Structure formats: structure tokens, C-alpha cells
Amino acid sequence: MVDYKLLSVMGFIVLAFILLNGCAGTKKSGREVMEKKPLAAAGIDSSVIAGADSLADDLFVSWERQKLAAQKQSTGESEVSESNRLWDVFSGKLDSTSVNPADTLQAITQFNKGAEHLIALQKLQNSSQEISEQQLKKQSLVHLDSARVYFEQSFILNPFDTNTRLWLARVYQLLAERFLADAYMNKAAIVLENLLKIDKGQHGLYGRLGQVYMALENWEKAHRNFREAEDVLQQTALFLVPEGQSISDSTVEAATDSTAWFLYVYYQAEMNIRVYNAETALANLTRAETLTRNAEDSLTIKSTRDWIDWDDGNILASEYRDELQDLVKNEAYSKAADGYKSLAKRLKTDRARREIEWLLAVLEYSHLDKAGQALERMASVAKFYLDDTSGVARADTMYRQYYISYGTMCHNRGLKYLKEKQFRKALAYFQQSCTIPWKQRAKSYLEIAKLSINNPARAVESAEQALLGRDQLSAQETKDVLRIMVAGLKRLGRFEEAAAYFREYRQQANLAKSK
């Protein structure tokens, strides 16, 4: 399954500038209302004047307030420019020789003391870099929040100025991005919710908010925003059809952001997984599959679907299996083994149970000194596939892994008993290993040939089998097999065959000397 902790492998593209529409009224204080003079104009009826005066309250603000708003806006623009520089330095996009403003505001002619200080901090050694990061993050957020205050005040004073609304939206976006990076998720959610109150026509904002709620583990809100993002994307694609092109299904489809669409649908599936709704999650994955753009997307869909289907939609079991595998990685072997035994009782399918038996057997064999118990488990798992002649069982692609594990266990167990001079037990395990169709059987055949040296016919037979898989053998092992073949064939009176293998043996030996 996809690692949710890592769910940042795929991100959303948020537009640098947001086209803001709509109007908002300005609430007047009691003093302003009392001091406002009524409109008077020759030749206009008083009732018309009253209506126009009321409408003007909703459309215009005083020139004095517009000038004050412009001042606030100017200060805010300075703050956000500085903040962008700070963040660019921190993220490594700029160095001391090439620092340029990232926004489309007027070019900044020189760096201020704050930016210079940040460049110096960027060059500190790794030993003190952590402190520098904390300082840089804090300063960046201070500047951005100050910009937010200025633009909000400007917006309140003059809510109809397009430039003010544009920069307020931009600051909200920047705050959201910074908060995402700094785990200020709750505030990021508030920022994006506020931005969506201004503009509901940007699908990327819904997608970003979905990511925030996903980080907050609010799966319902995350799902709702990803679904809304998809809906807005589809409904606004028409407006992106280039001028000069006719508006049709094909041109609208061409104008649709397929990358974002895939992500929105895929994340809806992820959110359904989080609430254990396997059926809906699989349906969303099917939709996402039609939107894949490359092999990586297809692989992601397949791995996620396989994860859900591991135990026939039993998502809780899939999650628990992942947790147990983490325990193994953290070397909590006994706890993981107990967990595997518990999980096996909760599974719906025999296929999933066999996999857990395999994982438990590997754990017992490798880390818990329970080789005998592990071999019994693996024998039971492998037998199911070895006994199947219809090929139905082989549809489970894990069976090759089971063969490798069981064959390796048997071979290594044989080596252990061989070292202990318990030849009968060693021979039994090597023979068992050879009954498993795994890729290293040639090594077990070689060991059987060595043990059968007093029975030339048996030794030659095993050596021949080993040579069939000579690509599995090292150079020394190949020479050992050839030497056994020569000795066995001579004893059987098959001299011509022995001579042929002897020549091959000498070639191998000479080749080894030349190296």
C-alpha cells in the first residue's frame, strides 16, 4: 500500500495568482453614518437620490479611505516580497550571488538587512543549521502574517480594489504553503477556508485544503474538498479553452488539467480507505485508472488496489499487517510474532492466512531460534501449491516467494546438520530442498552428490542435476560438481564421459589460475 506518511509523493499545483470575482459591502461605523452628507443634485427626484445614495454605500468608498488602503497595500506588498526572499533563501533556491524576487511585483533593487542575514545563516555549517532553520521559519511566518494583516485592513477599507484582493489571496496561499511545511495545519485550514470565501472558482484551493485536512486526519472534510476540487475543475475547464478555438467536448477535455484530476480522484480513494470503505475506494481507483498519465500512476493504482484486496477488502487487516512489518523492521520480533498469530485468526481468506504463516515462519527461522517450527509452517504453505495441478493456486503470485523461503530454509538447515556431522538429517533436508522449485536447487543437488560419494550412481545422478542449474553455482562449486562427475563415471566404467567432464574440469581450473 501506499505509505500514507508519505503521502507528499504527489502534490497539488496552486496558481500563483488567483482571479478574484465578486463584491463585498463595507460595514460603516456609527460615527461615519452620522457624519455622511446626503447626495444632492439638481433635477433629480429625492427618492432617486435616496436610492442612489444607498447603492453608493455598497459600491464606493471615500477617496480618503482609498488612499489609506493604498498605503496599507504598499506596506503589505513590501512585507510579502521580503517574506518570499526569506523563504527562497531558506529553501535553497537562492544563494549570495543570485537572489531575485519570486513574485511579479516590481523588481527589488537591493536586499534588505533581513535577507542578507538569512543568506549568512544559510551558509552556516550543518552543526548549527537546525537553529538557522527554526529562525528562518519563524521570521518568514512573521512577515507573511504581517502582510496578511495589512492586506486584510486594505481589503476592509477598499473591498473593490482588484489588486488588493489579488494580493490578499496570494498571501493566504503563501501562508497555507508555509503552514503545511511547518505543521501549522489548523491555521492553514482557516487560511484556505477564508480564501475560498473570496474565490470558489479555483479547484487547486480545494485540493490544497483537502491535503491540509488529510494531514489533520479529518478524513471526511478531506474527502469533501477533494470531491469539490474535482467538481470545480470539471466545471471551470470550459473557461480555459483558448480563444480562437470552438467550445466542444474535445476542446474542453484538452483544457482540463489531467494531472490535478487524477490526484483529486485518487485522493478520494485514499480517504475512503481511511474510513474502511473498500467498495467506494475501489470504485474511485477504477475512475482514477482512466486518468493515469504514465506508468508510475498505473503502478500506484495497482499497488493500492492490491493492498485493499489483500484480504478481500479487509482494510483493517491490511493496516495491521503493515504495522507488524514495521515491528519487524524495528527488531521487535517477539511482539511481531504474537501479532502475526493474532492476525491470522482475523483474516477472511486462506490466501492471506498463508502469507501471514510465511511471514511468521521467516521470523521464527531467522530471529526467534524456532527453525523446526518455522519449517513445519513453510511445509504446510508450500504443500498447498505443490499439490495443485490445475494451476488455480498458482494464480497467487506469492507462491514463488514461498518456494524461495522454504527451499532456503531446508538448504541452510542441511548445512547446519552437515557441519554437526549429522549426515542423515543433512541429507534429508537437502533432498527436501530439491523437491521445491526454487532457483538455488543446484546447490542442494551438489551437497547430495558430495554425501553420495560412496554410491557413484547416486553421486553422478545428483551431480548431473546440479549441472543443469550451473548458473546458480559459483566457479568453485562448478569445479566441485565436475570433479564428482569424473570420479563417479570412472567408477562406473563410463570412461569417455568421464574424459569429457575431466577436460571441462581442467578448463575451469586453468581459467581460475589465469585470473
Side-chain angles (χ1 to χ4, degrees):
M1 169 170 184
V2 177
D3 186 354
Y4 292 106
K5 297 176 183 176
L6 87 71
L7 275 176
S8 60
V9 132
M10 297 184 282
F12 288 95
I13 300 174
V14 181
L15 297 177
F17 290 95
I18 307 300
L19 300 177
L20 301 171
N21 301 301
C23 297
T26 303
K27 184 178 180 180
K28 305 290 192 298
S29 67
R31 181 178 178 83
E32 288 178 307
V33 173
M34 290 179 64
E35 292 181 349
K36 185 185 65 173
K37 295 181 179 180
L39 174 68
I44 301 179
D45 186 87
S46 60
S47 62
V48 174
I49 290 175
D53 196 41
S54 176
L55 179 60
D57 288 343
D58 292 331
L59 295 178
F60 311 121
V61 294
S62 68
W63 175 245
E64 289 75 13
R65 291 180 66 190
Q66 289 188 44
K67 288 192 294 184
L68 181 56
Q71 293 173 3
K72 296 288 187 180
Q73 177 184 324
S74 177
T75 309
E77 289 174 358
S78 175
E79 289 284 352
V80 77
S81 297
E82 183 176 355
S83 175
N84 281 338
R85 291 206 310 277
L86 292 174
W87 199 262
D88 282 341
V89 172
F90 168 67
S91 63
K93 295 179 181 177
L94 304 177
D95 57 29
S96 59
T97 61
S98 60
V99 180
N100 296 304
D103 298 302
T104 57
L105 296 175
Q106 297 177 353
I108 299 174
T109 58
Q110 60 182 4
F111 303 122
N112 54 34
K113 293 182 180 179
E116 291 174 354
H117 179 63
L118 292 179
I119 293 172
L121 289 176
Q122 184 73 11
K123 296 181 178 180
L124 292 176
Q125 297 296 325
N126 292 335
S127 59
S128 59
Q129 192 169 0
E130 183 178 352
I131 298 174
S132 300
E133 289 181 3
Q134 293 173 352
Q135 292 173 345
L136 286 168
K137 291 179 181 180
K138 181 178 179 181
Q139 189 171 356
S140 180
L141 289 174
V142 167
H143 284 299
L144 282 171
D145 205 49
S146 297
R148 176 190 61 78
V149 172
Y150 285 123
F151 283 116
E152 284 180 347
Q153 291 177 2
S154 177
F155 181 71
I156 292 171
L157 291 168
N158 186 2
F160 312 116
D161 182 75
T162 302
N163 209 30
T164 300
R165 289 188 292 163
L166 185 67
W167 275 97
L168 178 58
R170 177 60 172 150
V171 168
Y172 279 159
Q173 277 188 273
L174 290 171
L175 278 167
E177 292 166 3
R178 303 310 184 254
F179 292 149
L180 280 172
D182 291 81
Y184 293 107
M185 294 299 175
N186 283 304
K187 194 166 185 179
I190 294 172
V191 166
L192 286 165
E193 292 283 11
N194 286 336
L195 182 52
L196 283 168
K197 290 178 182 177
I198 297 173
D199 187 356
K200 299 182 183 297
Q202 299 296 331
H203 62 83
L205 300 181
Y206 287 102
R208 176 68 71 176
L209 186 56
Q211 281 190 311
V212 173
Y213 281 127
M214 185 164 60
L216 291 169
E217 298 187 1
N218 190 327
W219 316 125
E220 182 180 351
K221 286 188 176 181
H223 181 269
R224 184 167 66 246
N225 278 281
F226 288 132
R227 187 177 58 202
E228 190 71 24
E230 181 191 5
D231 184 58
V232 172
L233 180 145
Q234 291 178 294
Q235 294 194 48
T236 58
L238 174 140
F239 305 113
L240 299 177
V241 175
E243 290 188 17
Q245 291 187 10
S246 61
I247 296 177
S248 63
D249 291 344
S250 60
T251 57
V252 171
E253 182 181 355
T256 303
D257 187 341
S258 59
T259 299
W261 195 357
F262 168 79
L263 292 171
Y264 298 153
V265 177
Y266 177 78
Y267 278 130
Q268 287 177 59
E270 292 280 7
M271 295 309 96
N272 278 292
I273 289 173
R274 292 298 190 174
V275 295
Y276 307 107
N277 190 337
E279 183 177 354
T280 306
L282 289 169
N284 280 319
L285 287 175
T286 299
R287 288 204 303 127
E289 193 169 23
T290 65
L291 302 170
T292 55
R293 306 147 298 167
N294 48 51
E296 185 178 355
D297 287 348
S298 298
L299 183 61
T300 298
I301 295 294
K302 182 181 184 305
S303 62
T304 305
R305 181 182 284 119
D306 289 346
W307 187 89
I308 295 173
D309 285 334
W310 177 68
D311 188 39
D312 194 22
N314 187 358
I315 293 176
L316 272 171
S318 297
E319 284 186 338
Y320 191 31
R321 178 195 57 173
D322 291 350
E323 292 172 9
L324 294 174
Q325 289 174 332
D326 286 339
L327 287 178
V328 174
K329 290 178 183 177
N330 293 325
E331 301 183 1
Y333 303 126
S334 295
K335 188 174 182 180
D338 290 340
Y340 284 136
K341 293 173 186 176
S342 175
L343 176 58
K345 300 175 183 178
R346 309 180 195 178
L347 298 175
K348 297 163 59 177
T349 64
D350 290 335
R351 183 185 60 80
R353 270 188 287 273
R354 283 191 290 272
E355 183 174 331
I356 291 303
E357 286 291 308
W358 165 62
L359 291 172
L360 179 56
V362 171
L363 191 60
E364 290 173 333
Y365 188 92
S366 302
H367 302 291
L368 297 178
D369 195 25
K370 296 181 178 180
Q373 193 168 311
L375 284 161
E376 288 294 326
R377 291 186 192 279
M378 284 310 306
S380 176
V381 171
K383 188 175 185 298
F384 172 78
Y385 298 96
L386 292 170
D387 289 350
D388 177 65
T389 57
S390 65
V392 174
R394 304 289 179 86
D396 180 2
T397 57
M398 288 297 296
Y399 79 92
R400 296 187 186 278
Q401 291 281 0
Y402 303 153
Y403 288 164
I404 291 171
S405 294
Y406 187 36
T408 302
M409 286 180 186
C410 290
H411 181 80
N412 289 343
R413 195 68 170 172
L415 292 177
K416 174 183 179 297
Y417 284 121
L418 190 63
K419 186 177 180 180
E420 296 173 356
K421 309 300 183 185
Q422 298 187 49
F423 301 121
R424 289 179 179 274
K425 287 185 177 180
L427 180 60
Y429 277 108
F430 289 135
Q431 287 179 323
Q432 181 64 55
S433 174
C434 290
T435 66
I436 309 300
W438 65 301
K439 294 183 178 181
Q440 296 294 318
R441 281 185 296 175
K443 294 181 182 294
S444 293
Y445 277 119
L446 170 58
E447 298 302 331
I448 293 173
K450 290 178 181 178
L451 289 170
S452 305
I453 199 69
N454 293 324
N455 185 334
R458 179 67 181 275
V460 167
E461 180 184 349
S462 298
E464 285 177 334
Q465 290 296 320
L467 287 174
L468 291 176
R470 66 171 62 206
D471 59 314
Q472 304 166 19
L473 303 174
S474 67
Q476 182 59 51
E477 289 171 335
T478 301
K479 287 195 298 180
D480 291 343
V481 175
L482 292 170
R483 188 167 53 244
I484 292 171
M485 283 291 290
V486 172
L489 289 169
K490 285 171 60 180
R491 292 179 63 183
L492 292 172
R494 295 158 60 179
F495 302 118
E496 290 186 10
E497 293 176 73
Y501 281 110
F502 180 72
R503 291 188 181 93
E504 187 177 353
Y505 169 77
R506 290 295 293 268
Q507 288 176 351
Q508 290 284 336
N510 292 335
L511 182 63
K513 287 181 180 180
S514 66
K515 292 181 179 180

